[in-house]
Amino acid sequence: MQKKILVVDDSFVMRTLIKDIISADPDLLVVGEAINGIETIEKVRQLQPDLLLLDIEMPGMDGIECLKRLKLLSPCKVVIVSSVAQAGSQQAMEARKLGAFDVISKPSGALSLDLKSKKGSDIVRISRRALGLPE
Amino acid sequence: MNDFIEELWSQFAIETQEHIEEIELHLVNAEQNGISAELVASLFRAFHSLKGLATAMDMHSFARLAHRAEDILGVIRDGDFPMNSDVVSLLLAALDEMKMLQLSAVTSHTNVDANSQLLEHLAETFTSMECSAVPRVTPVYAETLTAAPPLQSDPEMLTYFVELAREKIAVISRLLDPFCTLPERADLMQSPECIAQATEEIEQLSYAAKTMDFLNLVVILAHLREALSGNQQKAITECLWELHDQIRYIEHSSGIPDVGANSLHTILTDVMHTNVQRLFTRVLDHLDALQFGGRDGDDLLIAQALQADLSGLNSHLAFFMYSPTCNIILMLEDVFSRAARGELHLFGEILEMTRDEVTHVMEHYRDCSDGGVCARDKAEIASNLQRIHDYIWAYESGCGVVNPIETFRQFMGELNIEPELLKILSPENVRDLMQALEKGEHIFEVTAHLESNEEMTAHFLAWIETGRSRIITNRSLFINDMSWYEMLIVSPLSRIEISQGIQTIDPGGAYLTLKPWSGGIPEREQLLKAIEDTPERQLRIVETVASSGNVLRVQGETLDGFMNLIGEMVLARSRLSHIINHERLSKQVVRLKQQRTGNDPDSDELLELLVEHRNDLMEVDQLLNAALRRLQESAVGLRVVPVEMVFKRLPRIVRDLSMSQGKRVRLEMSGQEVKIDKAMVEILTDPLLHMIRNSIDHGVEMPDVRAMAGKSKEAVIRVSATQRGSGIIIEISDDGMGIDTDKVLGKAIERGLVQRDIAVSLSREAIMRFIFEPGFSTAAVVTETSGRGVGMDVVMTNVKRLGGSISVDSTAGRGSTFTLEMPLSAAIQDVLMVEAAGTILALPGRYVAEVVEIAADELQSVRGEQAILLRGAFLPLHRLSTLLGYPSAAAERCDGIAVVLTNGSQTIGLAVDKVLRRQELFIKEIQESVTAIPGVGGASVLGNGRVVLILDGEDLLRIAKSGAGRL
């Protein structure tokens, strides 16, 4: 059974790249995308994903608020994908406190990645770990 | 390059372009007007996004520039450095460079090095800004997570929770409102969809509550879910109250006052008030059914339903704290639970008493909810309680109904208890015994000689009392010329304790003996089982009827407004239709076709297009017309209600009247499901009540008279409704004495309604009609309600006015039947509202054929009459205001709008100032003087209170024929 993933980022390019990377792993399935916090909450209700790949910097409802609201809705795992929230930053800590599994940075040089490096990327590795899948 | 990457690049171009434009706008604006913290934050975010995008696409120079700009904005965002024109210029320079890099990225997908000077400048600025900034202690966040504080203490979390809770509570209470509100009928079930939806909402709220550690809330929600799955109405209501308490608590603790406790409270109290009202009505209805329903087989079921409703009433009233009052309801509940088990035969007096008490409580409740005081005398309540109590026991001990008491007696007999002692057990004794046994107490039989030893006697009685034992009953008997008492005692003490006690008081055993049991100590379970097994306990199961879909309540006014809107649409359609079918247009088309030479292809094509479009339009118009008609029909269908609405008032009237006259009447009703227009409810009620009264007063005989005539003492009045065509027929028949034609005739002659010599030649029907004459009454006794001769003539007048008719058939000694025929929507008239001479007038809809617009040049004079040519026929025109005799200054104006009025044989055009809308009017009772005005048929009152005259179509046509109002 593939794990359901919801990708949240306000940038289409980012979402596309993240989806592309995730698709390299047959255990993972992107079931939906959201472009802001409100949509995220709606989609989590609808799709009940196993994992959320969540951007922190979003217009409107930011990632932290989104995370807090989500906590009241769903037990779904969350991995923060953001270049702002680097490990050790205040936002990262806050996110971790709110139950985010980990904080990773956005994909770089995604276009040049081959299948192998996609599989080895942070996004895939941390997602698998968050979902309790063998690495 | 594949499509995927191509698509990515084009999206990259779009997104980066958006960010760049946003940045540019804000920066330029900032230089002129200063900048808010909010804008700095969004600038920061925009550069940040650019950085991310560039990194993802491997555009490192672009990313580096964005990163430097982002750094600078970060310092400004944190308030460490103001945004000045130097910074703005620098950022704009960076942006220009980025534009260039973006262009090359998008066109050639290659990374171009950025201007190194600019990069350096940005880096330097950032460093200097940071240095000049007030040094701040940057908190160091440990990577290890300490135990997180409870989420409840995070104010943001609390706010989010409250928001969620508010939303959920609103939905849940809306969904569950119907669950708490008793349905009009006890057997209606709630829909499973509603349960499923509510359950889901509850689960979501429960999840959030769990996260927040609001554990009490979680527990209550779990209970609520359980109650919901079992469709246990009472439990649902209770859970909602608990939920209310919890929400109230959360509101207190969070300091957020409007999570939903208040609305929940309002809903629940409203629901309870509604329920109490409904329960009262239902209880009274059940009583009516028991008293007058006459369907014997159902009595147990009705009693059962009655008991359930009384129980509901009890728990509701308890909430509003009418405690002494509750006791009465509780007592009545007991009465009917016995009746439902067949232990108690329901007879008139108990039902009467119940009705009295329930009515009392109802009034009392009403007083209290009106803000009055609970002023009912406690002594009165107590004496009423006693009355009910006495009735039950008196009845039970007096009648031979097989009941658990018999079973109990038998059971006791098996225990070797003195049969004589058992015989004298009153029902109360039995109840006490049963209660004691249920509590696990024991029964003993003690024989005591209490007369010769006063000290011992006192000792014995004191011992009984201190041991919490009670003497249930006793009898005296003589043994060896000594007076002994045989006593049945219940006690929590065991047999050994009792035996020891007796030995202590009377060591010699000369005065007290404890009778040994043969069957051992009665076991509670055994006893209960014995009672359980009696067949009377096996109750029939009430049939349940599945809910007939969702019922939507709509206010009458809403519906009327809706009808008016449809009316406006119908009118708009008819104008559209008129435009399409306009005489001149069709004439022009015909003319053009005839003139067609074939030399001018342009105009030919134009003509064809015209014809084609006109045909299309006609088709659309037909579709629209059909759809509108269906819409109108279904809207009319919304207005109908079952005739039950009228009938349900009858049992009470029948009961009150027959009681007060000492008559016995059973009411049988049928056809309650026949639908009538809601406005008819009011109209039908009065005539029907009159006729019912009439039947009881004049038709039904006293029970002994009936018995002598060989009829059953109980008379039957049948009320039935049937629908026939577009009318409804209501029949009221009784099996009473019928109408004595000789008596009627005699009275008619006496009152001078008919000449004596003519009277002999009158037919039966003609004689019967006299009873509808004003002031006519043959009743010897003038009762409170009828016999004064007002009534039937009023009925007749009302019925006639509404286009109905009434007839009577009677056989002396066998009964009478009144037949009422009414059009289904008598009082509703479809009208077209127009304005003429500044007055709003209503033209009856069925006479209105269409509305036409008249151009001045269309007017023709035909034989001295103004007319227009409408579809090949001349339409004589009349000005409505003139027709009605209004002085009109506008009489000379000939163009405008005309309503085509027709009765099939005569058609006229009525010129009016304005056509307002088509709507349905409810005809009000009006004085005859109004209808006497030529052309006026009635009047109605509009929503705004304005009176409007409804014109009489036939009358108008008649006046027009006479030549008045001609243009």
Side-chain angles (χ1 to χ4, degrees):
Chain A
M1 182 82 181
Q2 283 175 305
K3 295 288 183 183
K4 294 189 282 181
I5 297 179
L6 181 69
V7 177
V8 184
D9 200 302
D10 57 335
S11 158
F12 175 86
V13 176
M14 279 305 165
R15 292 196 308 274
T16 312
L17 287 174
I18 293 170
K19 266 162 44 183
D20 183 49
I21 294 170
I22 294 285
S23 69
D25 189 326
D27 290 336
L28 309 177
L29 175 71
V30 175
V31 290
E33 304 168 43
I35 60 164
N36 58 42
I38 294 161
E39 204 185 52
T40 306
I41 286 173
E42 211 34 63
K43 289 270 169 83
V44 168
R45 275 183 182 164
Q46 266 174 33
L47 305 170
Q48 310 198 327
D50 301 301
L51 176 72
L52 200 63
L53 292 174
L54 181 70
D55 187 14
I56 286 281
E57 285 285 342
M58 286 184 293
M61 188 194 292
D62 71 17
I64 295 295
E65 181 180 342
C66 185
L67 203 54
K68 286 186 174 180
R69 288 183 186 271
L70 277 174
K71 227 177 145 45
L72 299 171
L73 294 179
S74 159
C76 126
K77 300 263 191 316
V78 179
V79 168
I80 302 287
V81 182
S82 165
S83 31
V84 178
Q86 276 131 4
S89 76
Q90 189 182 350
Q91 271 167 315
M93 283 308 299
E94 177 117 44
R96 293 293 296 273
K97 251 195 279 179
L98 288 167
F101 182 78
D102 208 341
V103 180
I104 56 177
S105 45
K106 295 206 174 179
S108 72
L111 280 182
S112 50
L113 292 181
D114 57 15
L115 193 64
K116 200 179 157 202
S117 46
K118 278 177 188 167
K119 277 186 175 169
S121 72
D122 267 3
I123 291 185
V124 169
R125 269 191 321 111
I126 303 295
S127 293
R128 290 188 68 92
R129 206 183 289 165
L131 290 164
L133 295 170
E135 281 180 51
Chain B
M1 190 182 296
N2 62 37
D3 290 349
F4 171 72
I5 292 175
E6 192 56 52
E7 173 66 18
L8 264 187
W9 275 113
S10 70
Q11 278 298 324
F12 171 84
I14 293 168
E15 283 180 24
T16 45
Q17 189 62 37
E18 277 173 9
H19 290 305
I20 288 169
E21 279 168 11
E22 187 196 354
I23 291 168
E24 191 152 44
L25 181 77
H26 288 332
L27 280 178
V28 173
N29 203 20
E31 202 167 34
Q32 287 158 2
N33 308 318
I35 195 164
S36 68
E38 211 175 296
L39 277 183
V40 174
S42 67
L43 275 175
F44 177 87
R45 223 172 19 236
F47 275 113
H48 174 75
S49 298
L50 283 175
K51 181 180 78 175
L53 284 166
T55 313
M57 303 302 276
D58 269 341
M59 299 293 113
H60 299 299
S61 311
F62 190 134
R64 199 171 302 135
L65 265 173
H67 180 68
R68 294 273 155 91
E70 185 192 337
D71 277 346
I72 291 171
L73 279 162
V75 180
I76 296 169
R77 184 185 64 175
D78 294 344
D80 295 332
F81 201 87
M83 183 75 137
N84 58 33
S85 56
D86 287 347
V87 177
V88 171
S89 308
L90 182 62
L91 289 174
L92 280 174
L95 193 68
D96 289 340
E97 182 74 4
M98 283 162 79
K99 279 187 198 168
M100 217 179 67
L101 293 178
Q102 189 244 11
L103 193 65
S104 71
V106 170
T107 48
S108 63
H109 310 330
T110 47
N111 182 45
V112 180
D113 282 342
N115 181 329
S116 56
Q117 263 183 316
L118 182 62
L119 275 174
E120 213 163 295
H121 193 176
L122 283 166
E124 278 167 16
T125 309
F126 171 63
T127 318
S128 70
M129 278 166 80
E130 263 210 325
C131 289
S132 70
V134 188
R136 285 188 310 169
V137 184
T138 325
V140 179
Y141 300 100
E143 255 302 330
T144 51
L145 290 168
T146 47
L151 290 169
Q152 274 183 36
S153 59
D154 178 340
E156 268 179 37
M157 266 324 270
L158 200 57
T159 313
Y160 300 150
F161 173 75
V162 162
E163 275 175 28
L164 183 96
R166 191 181 295 144
E167 184 193 317
K168 297 288 166 200
I169 297 280
V171 179
I172 291 169
S173 43
R174 181 176 54 74
L175 283 172
L176 295 189
D177 188 357
F179 281 82
C180 303
T181 313
L182 290 168
E184 298 282 2
R185 290 197 7 236
D187 50 357
L188 292 180
M189 306 280 283
Q190 295 299 337
S191 74
E193 294 84 25
C194 192
I195 295 181
Q197 204 189 339
T199 308
E200 199 185 317
E201 297 290 328
I202 291 166
E203 259 157 25
Q204 287 171 5
L205 181 57
S206 174
Y207 181 84
K210 218 176 281 170
T211 310
M212 295 298 285
D213 231 20
F214 286 124
L215 294 180
N216 287 339
L217 190 55
V218 175
V219 171
I220 289 161
L221 289 170
H223 286 166
L224 183 56
R225 209 172 38 205
E226 214 171 287
L228 201 57
S229 67
N231 209 344
Q232 302 156 303
Q233 191 200 41
K234 208 171 146 193
I236 293 172
T237 314
E238 277 164 14
C239 285
L240 283 181
W241 276 112
E242 283 180 35
L243 183 61
H244 161 262
D245 293 344
Q246 267 311 306
I247 298 296
R248 186 71 81 202
Y249 164 77
I250 289 168
E251 283 176 353
H252 272 296
S253 59
S254 66
I256 302 166
D258 53 349
V259 185
N262 280 343
S263 64
L264 208 51
H265 187 272
T266 315
I267 286 174
L268 284 167
T269 348
D270 282 356
V271 159
M272 293 192 92
H273 276 295
T274 317
N275 284 353
V276 170
Q277 300 297 354
R278 286 206 182 147
L279 284 166
F280 275 131
T281 318
R282 261 159 49 174
V283 166
L284 291 177
D285 284 351
H286 291 321
L287 284 172
D288 281 341
L290 281 175
Q291 257 178 308
F292 316 110
R295 293 180 300 172
D296 307 59
D298 291 348
D299 277 7
L300 284 183
L301 296 184
I302 299 172
Q304 208 176 345
L306 190 52
Q307 183 236 330
D309 284 342
L310 282 167
S311 162
L313 200 51
N314 187 36
S315 56
H316 277 80
L317 289 177
F319 171 78
F320 292 110
M321 286 173 301
Y322 301 93
S323 58
T325 317
C326 285
N327 291 339
I328 287 185
I329 301 291
L330 198 64
M331 199 80 187
L332 292 172
E333 191 191 330
D334 182 46
V335 170
F336 288 95
S337 78
R338 283 159 195 275
R341 291 199 298 266
E343 294 168 22
L344 186 73
H345 182 68
L346 289 169
F347 58 115
E349 281 154 306
I350 281 199
L351 295 177
E352 257 332 288
M353 204 158 58
T354 308
R355 186 189 301 279
D356 283 351
E357 289 310 318
V358 170
T359 315
H360 255 115
V361 173
M362 198 162 87
E363 281 160 8
H364 177 53
Y365 168 81
R366 217 167 274 156
D367 291 348
C368 290
S369 34
D370 286 351
V373 239
C374 306
R376 203 155 174 227
D377 192 0
K378 267 188 191 158
E380 194 194 336
I381 293 171
S383 86
N384 284 335
L385 280 173
Q386 193 56 49
R387 259 176 77 205
I388 301 168
H389 184 258
D390 290 350
Y391 260 109
I392 300 171
W393 296 115
Y395 188 76
E396 278 212 337
S397 45
C399 80
V401 176
V402 183
N403 59 35
I405 295 176
E406 260 331 294
T407 320
F408 186 73
R409 286 212 180 101
Q410 278 171 21
F411 178 71
M412 298 284 280
E414 282 164 27
L415 296 176
N416 197 23
I417 291 176
E418 175 57 50
E420 289 303 313
L421 207 51
L422 285 179
K423 268 188 204 156
I424 60 163
L425 279 178
S426 74
E428 277 162 290
N429 296 153
V430 173
R431 192 192 55 184
D432 289 350
L433 273 172
M434 281 165 69
Q435 280 175 357
L437 288 176
E438 277 180 25
K439 274 192 274 175
E441 297 188 4
H442 306 291
I443 304 180
F444 307 99
E445 198 186 324
V446 175
T447 316
H449 175 62
L450 300 172
E451 275 165 19
S452 34
N453 190 333
E454 269 184 39
E455 196 193 323
M456 199 231 47
T457 303
H459 199 167
F460 173 70
L461 292 175
W463 173 75
I464 292 274
E465 217 174 297
T466 52
R468 284 177 292 124
S469 311
R470 274 163 297 137
I471 299 169
I472 295 292
T473 190
N474 68 74
R475 66 176 192 131
S476 54
L477 64 164
F478 286 95
I479 302 167
N480 305 331
D481 282 23
M482 280 194 347
S483 168
W484 287 73
Y485 287 100
E486 210 170 54
M487 290 178 277
L488 201 58
I489 294 170
V490 289
S491 169
L493 299 177
S494 74
R495 190 166 183 84
I496 298 164
E497 286 169 306
I498 293 278
S499 168
Q500 282 168 352
I502 286 178
Q503 263 184 11
T504 324
I505 298 163
D506 177 25
Y511 301 103
L512 297 171
T513 357
L514 178 64
K515 190 170 180 182
W517 291 149
S518 62
I521 297 163
E523 288 297 329
R524 188 168 156 260
E525 284 74 15
Q526 244 179 299
L527 170 84
L528 294 178
K529 196 177 174 301
I531 295 167
E532 207 76 57
D533 288 342
T534 54
E536 286 75 21
R537 285 288 291 213
Q538 291 159 11
L539 302 171
R540 273 178 281 176
I541 291 151
V542 184
E543 278 176 62
T544 53
V545 179
S547 159
S548 53
N550 292 327
V551 175
L552 190 68
R553 271 167 226 279
V554 181
Q555 274 200 323
E557 295 88 78
T558 316
L559 214 51
D560 290 345
F562 181 49
M563 296 292 291
N564 287 349
L565 286 176
I566 295 175
E568 282 175 35
M569 280 169 69
V570 168
L571 194 70
R573 207 281 319 177
S574 76
R575 285 190 63 182
L576 177 71
S577 170
H578 179 67
I579 294 166
I580 297 167
N581 297 308
H582 202 283
E583 209 67 32
R584 281 193 301 172
L585 185 65
S586 44
K587 268 198 279 182
Q588 283 299 321
V589 170
V590 173
R591 203 167 56 86
L592 281 173
K593 271 185 181 167
Q594 286 166 348
Q595 290 174 353
R596 188 155 57 173
T597 53
N599 298 336
D600 188 354
D602 274 358
S603 74
D604 282 358
E605 201 185 323
L606 204 63
L607 181 64
E608 253 158 49
L609 197 65
L610 187 68
V611 172
E612 194 181 312
H613 277 199
R614 186 159 169 269
N615 288 343
D616 283 354
L617 274 174
M618 279 159 114
E619 204 173 299
V620 172
D621 180 55
Q622 289 309 314
L623 287 175
L624 191 62
N625 191 29
L628 268 175
R629 187 160 302 155
R630 283 199 300 274
L631 180 61
Q632 205 170 15
E633 274 165 14
S634 44
V636 169
L638 290 176
R639 300 174 54 108
V640 297
V641 292
V643 76
E644 192 178 5
M645 298 283 286
V646 182
F647 282 12
K648 67 180 183 183
R649 292 177 60 178
L650 303 180
R652 185 63 203 265
I653 301 287
V654 170
R655 176 228 162 225
D656 287 352
L657 277 177
S658 52
M659 289 269 289
S660 69
Q661 298 181 17
K663 293 174 180 174
R664 287 178 57 190
V665 181
R666 189 170 83 231
L667 180 67
E668 285 179 4
M669 300 188 286
S670 63
Q672 286 101 318
E673 70 287 343
V674 170
K675 298 279 200 307
I676 55 171
D677 190 286
K678 71 182 164 71
M680 291 279 284
V681 171
E682 288 301 308
I683 295 164
L684 275 177
T685 304
D686 273 352
L688 215 54
L689 291 184
H690 268 301
M691 284 191 284
I692 291 278
R693 279 182 190 135
N694 198 64
S695 283
I696 295 172
D697 279 350
H698 308 313
V700 173
E701 315 90 331
M702 298 300 285
D704 44 354
V705 178
R706 289 182 63 89
M708 280 197 294
K711 297 183 191 176
S712 77
K713 284 189 174 181
E714 194 177 50
V716 180
I717 293 181
R718 286 190 182 84
V719 181
S720 70
T722 40
Q723 195 185 336
R724 201 168 297 165
S726 63
I728 177 175
I729 293 173
I730 296 178
E731 268 187 11
I732 299 114
S733 66
D734 63 64
D735 62 351
M737 63 179 93
I739 298 170
D740 187 338
T741 42
D742 290 345
K743 230 168 156 184
V744 171
L745 201 56
K747 190 91 179 179
I749 293 165
E750 184 194 315
R751 293 192 61 88
L753 295 170
V754 63
Q755 304 276 310
R756 192 175 293 273
D757 46 340
I758 301 170
V760 284
S761 61
L762 283 176
S763 69
R764 255 178 68 81
E765 289 72 42
I767 297 168
M768 290 295 188
R769 274 200 286 275
F770 282 124
I771 64 167
F772 297 108
E773 288 293 336
F776 192 91
S777 175
T778 58
V781 191
V782 172
T783 67
E784 207 179 304
T785 46
S786 74
R788 292 204 185 94
V790 279
M792 290 318 281
D793 64 310
V794 175
V795 173
M796 185 62 133
T797 317
N798 282 345
V799 167
K800 269 190 162 172
R801 189 171 55 83
L802 295 164
S805 69
I806 189 164
S807 63
V808 59
D809 189 16
S810 179
T811 313
R814 300 283 295 278
S816 332
T817 302
F818 286 84
T819 309
L820 187 66
E821 283 193 62
M822 296 287 268
L824 263 188
S825 57
I828 305 288
Q829 208 174 359
D830 169 40
V831 300
L832 180 71
M833 306 289 283
V834 297
E835 199 180 304
T839 314
I840 294 179
L841 296 159
L843 289 167
R846 62 201 157 99
Y847 286 93
V848 176
E850 62 185 305
V851 176
V852 293
E853 271 170 89
I854 306 160
D857 61 352
E858 280 180 291
L859 280 170
Q860 306 183 19
S861 186
V862 182
R863 291 187 298 273
E865 281 183 36
Q866 290 276 25
I868 55 161
L869 194 63
L870 185 71
R871 282 188 289 279
F874 281 106
L875 177 75
L877 285 176
H878 299 264
R879 185 154 288 281
L880 178 59
S881 50
T882 326
L883 215 54
L884 292 171
Y886 286 119
S888 175
E892 300 310 311
R893 272 186 53 221
C894 300
D895 56 329
I897 296 177
V899 178
V900 178
L901 209 65
T902 181
N903 63 357
S905 57
Q906 185 191 355
T907 305
I908 58 165
L910 281 178
V912 295
D913 299 341
K914 250 186 224 167
V915 171
L916 302 168
R917 63 189 167 274
R918 203 161 183 141
Q919 77 174 74
E920 291 205 316
L921 282 185
F922 180 53
I923 302 168
K924 305 277 171 186
E925 200 167 340
I926 53 162
Q927 291 190 333
E928 272 177 36
S929 56
V930 177
T931 43
I933 304 171
V936 176
S940 181
V941 179
L942 296 181
N944 58 12
R946 209 165 147 180
V947 175
V948 61
L949 291 178
I950 301 169
L951 304 178
D952 184 332
E954 283 300 333
D955 227 354
L956 286 175
L957 289 167
R958 194 180 46 74
I959 301 168
K961 217 172 204 168
S962 70
R966 231 171 246 169
L967 282 179

